[in-house]
Amino acid sequence: MTILQVEKLHFSYGKTEVLKDISFTINKNMIVGIVGGNGSGKSTLLKNISGYLKPESGKILIGNKDIRHFPTKERAKFIAYVPQEMPYDFEFSCYDIVMMGRIPYLKRFQQEGKEDETIVKKSMKITNTWIFKDKNINELSGGERQRVYIARALAQKPSILLMDEPISHLDMKYQIEILSLARELSSKGILVITVLHDINLASLFCDELLIMKNGKIMDYGPPKKVLKPYNIKSAFSVDVELIDNPITNSPYVVPILRKRKQFKVI
Ligand SMILES: Nc1ncnc2c1ncn2[C@@H]1O[C@H](COP(=O)(O)OP(=O)(O)OP(=O)(O)O)[C@@H](O)[C@H]1O
């Protein structure tokens, strides 16, 4: 069964083409990590899949249906997107923010009901944010806020969860917790696609990795297949050695450190 298919996707900001002929198909629920250098097009790809940006050409299909044919509210029942930059919603408590995830399920002027409350509570409990339910979102740290926005995405009950660098503000405990949660969600029938900068955590947690370079897919497949020194050199301009992590059996990337040219501190 095809869950997500991206077909010959092109996207430009103004005259600058940022996504060039992107095609890939995902047939089962898993965690797909998007990795690549700064500016390679990772966030733009995620925003196109989410429907936030419209492709210039090409198609994005969810379960064989073109996302352009989903009304926005319907699309939000299938795809939830956690952006990299969180807007400041000064007016709202964390509970209210997560409850916004239920909007796609409510009719105009319909009040949320018991089922919505249960789903919101569950989403906040599994992201460890229930303790913040009465706090204003602007009173939280960057990492705490990020977890609240992940809870809101979960409250949408999506079948595809898109996350843009969800662990960048998190400490080690929560990095592991959020990626473990992503793994749990994928085992319960959600396709998780996440942009990650930490290549070793990506290797550890993702079933497949999509490596991007200059708006194109450089390689796609399981970490063992795509994490190769030549791919990493090409995507990040860094020389690395790959070792097999003896504990996890996943590839572990070790940069080869070169001596920097000496310079005088003025
Ligand atoms: N709103 C925008 N308007 C114009 N250009 C943009 C806009 N957003 C991104 N770009 C440009 O598009 C290119 C791809 O950006 P994108 O944010 O998708 O890259 P990325 O791989 O997610 O980068 P990073 O790892 O730094 O977050 C970059 O050159 C960027 O400067």
Side-chain angles (χ1 to χ4, degrees):
M1 184 189 63
T2 302
I3 298 172
L4 175 71
Q5 191 177 356
V6 175
E7 234 180 74
K8 297 186 174 165
L9 177 72
H10 288 258
F11 178 85
S12 302
Y13 291 110
K15 287 192 174 140
T16 314
E17 193 176 35
V18 170
L19 297 179
K20 302 160 190 166
D21 203 23
I22 302 272
S23 295
F24 62 94
T25 302
I26 300 175
N27 292 322
K28 60 177 184 164
N29 293 312
M30 57 178 160
I31 309 184
V32 177
I34 305 180
V35 297
N38 289 139
S40 55
K42 303 180 295 296
S43 297
T44 307
L45 174 58
L46 223 55
K47 285 177 189 166
N48 272 268
I49 298 172
S50 75
Y52 179 76
L53 291 176
K54 301 270 167 285
E56 192 175 304
S57 63
K59 277 187 194 162
I60 297 164
L61 307 158
I62 305 172
N64 298 324
K65 198 171 166 191
D66 195 320
I67 62 164
R68 285 174 298 192
H69 302 147
F70 285 95
T72 311
K73 251 180 147 179
E74 275 314 296
R75 194 174 60 220
K77 292 180 189 170
F78 290 96
I79 301 185
Y81 166 60
V82 183
Q84 191 177 353
E85 299 292 337
M86 306 299 170
Y88 277 81
D89 293 307
F90 292 108
E91 305 288 319
F92 300 107
S93 71
C94 294
Y95 185 86
D96 290 341
I97 297 265
V98 180
M99 186 57 87
M100 287 173 196
R102 299 303 301 158
I103 289 172
Y105 295 89
L106 301 174
K107 295 200 181 79
R108 226 168 153 215
F109 305 120
Q110 186 190 347
Q111 282 287 322
E112 55 270 11
K114 266 266 159 293
E115 193 194 349
D116 302 304
E117 286 166 13
T118 308
I119 290 169
V120 165
K121 185 169 180 181
K122 195 172 163 199
S123 305
M124 295 188 84
K125 287 257 177 184
I126 56 177
T127 48
N128 257 320
T129 53
W130 184 243
I131 40 168
F132 307 134
K133 68 181 167 56
D134 299 320
K135 278 200 167 190
N136 264 21
I137 189 82
N138 65 327
E139 290 171 29
L140 303 187
S141 74
E144 292 165 345
R145 213 165 35 238
Q146 206 147 12
R147 277 158 41 218
V148 172
Y149 282 97
I150 293 171
R152 180 173 73 177
L154 293 181
Q156 279 174 243
K157 292 253 156 207
S159 40
I160 302 176
L161 174 63
L162 307 172
M163 300 194 284
D164 198 349
E165 295 185 38
I167 60 170
S168 56
H169 290 106
L170 303 186
D171 67 28
M172 204 202 243
K173 174 186 161 194
Y174 285 118
Q175 286 187 341
I176 304 295
E177 209 168 291
I178 290 299
L179 291 175
S180 302
L181 172 65
R183 195 133 81 179
E184 209 181 305
L185 294 170
S186 76
S187 74
K188 286 186 176 153
I190 295 183
L191 167 63
V192 180
I193 305 180
T194 178
V195 172
L196 291 171
H197 273 303
D198 187 320
I199 203 106
N200 283 322
L201 283 178
S203 164
L204 191 56
F205 281 93
C206 297
D207 300 294
E208 307 223 318
L209 295 177
L210 195 152
I211 306 182
M212 291 196 68
K213 184 185 176 186
N214 295 336
K216 289 187 177 170
I217 296 180
M218 222 186 74
D219 209 349
Y220 178 55
K224 273 203 164 103
K225 175 183 163 268
V226 300
L227 289 182
K228 299 287 178 201
Y230 51 85
N231 270 347
I232 293 170
K233 172 84 177 170
S234 173
F236 300 97
S237 307
V238 174
D239 290 306
V240 298
E241 297 262 13
L242 262 294
I243 53 175
D244 268 333
N245 183 326
I247 299 164
T248 60
N249 199 27
S250 57
Y252 190 83
V253 177
V254 184
I256 300 169
L257 302 178
R258 307 214 181 279
K259 226 175 163 192
R260 281 175 66 94
K261 262 193 191 155
Q262 293 296 315
F263 59 91
K264 269 191 187 158
V265 178
I266 305 163

